[in-house]
Amino acid sequence: MEVEGRRDGDDEVPVARRFPSVTLNKKIGFRRAWNKKDKWVEVLGHAATGGFVSHCGWNSILEGLWHGVPIVTWPIYAEEQLNAFVMLKELGLADELRLDHKGRGVGGNLVQAEEIERAVGRLMGGGAASMRKRVKEMREAARNAVKEGGSSYDSIGKLIQDFIKSIE
């Protein structure tokens, strides 16, 4: 197959083109989902989504945890490295593609397709069962927090009451 004048087997084919949107098995899949036409949250919420590669921005982490989807960390700038470290080393809710502590950002440290393949393979493999269990537990905790009587529900209610009192 030709991609911008190159064959898929060539080393110069962009990483996005080297990972087709396929289901790896009947239960878990890997899908490229950064095209704006894709509905990102719907992709994360789909039963076939077994994980995703993330720069570890806070919104991506929250969306992944809300849907119970483990993350492969690929931080690039600023707090993303701290977020990735906490998710990976402290909470055990992610797998590592790379923790780029050199701060070179996009293009500073080229990640090869094989490196992504290994990280995604670990995430999809049986060795990630305990991480998947922790991510599912976090999903339930997040959902319970926003239910009536949950910590987030109660906190926002208190905040609203404080605002009302301050304008009376």
Side-chain angles (χ1 to χ4, degrees):
M1 175 170 129
E2 291 285 319
V3 178
E4 300 172 358
R6 295 172 281 194
R7 293 174 314 201
D8 276 348
D10 292 347
D11 288 337
E12 293 181 53
V13 174
V15 171
R17 301 285 188 200
R18 293 182 70 181
F19 288 98
S21 298
V22 297
T23 299
L24 297 178
N25 62 42
K26 292 181 180 180
K27 294 183 180 178
I28 300 174
F30 178 78
R31 183 173 194 283
R32 294 178 287 123
W34 51 81
N35 186 327
K36 290 206 180 258
K37 294 177 185 174
D38 287 324
K39 296 179 181 173
W40 178 241
V41 176
E42 287 181 28
V43 171
L44 277 177
H46 194 279
T49 303
F52 74 107
V53 177
S54 173
H55 68 296
C56 295
W58 196 239
N59 283 340
S60 297
I61 289 172
L62 292 179
E63 289 166 351
L65 292 175
W66 179 261
H67 289 287
V69 178
I71 298 169
V72 173
T73 64
W74 187 359
I76 299 172
Y77 293 113
E79 83 287 350
E80 295 166 2
Q81 292 177 359
L82 177 61
N83 294 345
F85 182 85
V86 170
M87 290 291 291
L88 180 69
K89 303 290 185 185
E90 293 185 15
L91 300 175
L93 297 171
D95 200 316
E96 179 179 0
L97 172 60
R98 183 175 285 181
L99 287 176
D100 180 16
H101 296 293
K102 297 174 184 161
R104 295 180 183 164
V106 175
N109 259 348
L110 187 63
V111 176
Q112 300 295 315
E114 294 76 20
E115 196 174 350
I116 296 172
E117 182 178 21
R118 281 191 302 274
V120 170
R122 285 192 310 270
L123 185 74
M124 299 300 192
S130 62
M131 177 184 50
R132 289 186 174 290
K133 182 180 180 213
R134 284 191 298 279
V135 170
K136 295 295 182 194
E137 289 168 355
M138 187 62 73
R139 175 187 185 267
E140 293 309 310
R143 290 172 184 262
N144 287 334
V146 297
K147 290 180 181 174
E148 189 170 349
S151 60
S152 293
Y153 183 94
D154 291 346
S155 292
I156 196 71
K158 185 178 180 329
L159 178 66
I160 291 168
Q161 291 302 316
D162 288 348
F163 281 144
I164 291 170
K165 286 179 186 175
S166 73
I167 59 173
E168 290 179 341

